Amino acid sequence: MVDGVIDAVSNPDGAVSLHVRISMPGRVDADRIEVIVPPEHMEALAEALAPCPPATARVSRLAAIPCTVGVGTHPVRA
């Protein structure tokens, strides 16, 4: 496990890009993983991310959500 940040960007076509940036101490760049969820699957993503009350919380596996994934590097901004 490593710490990182997630940026969410709405694209003009209705898709949402989730940018996951991971940087190790002392590096001037970050590894970047971009997950693009098409508009027709946004409802499934919202349902998967919606919090559930602690009294009803349970571990369950939700349906897989189709996406496109890209990997690269990105400059770290101070």
Side-chain angles (χ1 to χ4, degrees):
M1 294 279 199
V2 295
D3 291 329
V5 296
I6 297 176
D7 295 321
V9 179
S10 294
N11 298 326
D13 65 357
V16 169
S17 292
L18 302 174
H19 299 174
V20 181
R21 289 180 292 141
I22 301 165
S23 182
M24 299 298 184
R27 285 183 54 184
V28 295
D29 63 353
D31 294 320
R32 176 177 160 176
I33 301 168
E34 181 174 4
V35 178
I36 303 171
V37 180
E40 63 270 22
H41 299 291
M42 289 308 306
E43 189 173 325
L45 178 61
E47 183 179 315
L49 295 175
C52 60
T56 61
R58 64 182 185 281
V59 176
S60 63
R61 184 156 195 130
L62 301 171
I65 300 167
C67 65
T68 302
V69 178
V71 179
T73 59
H74 187 71
V76 173
R77 295 184 184 137

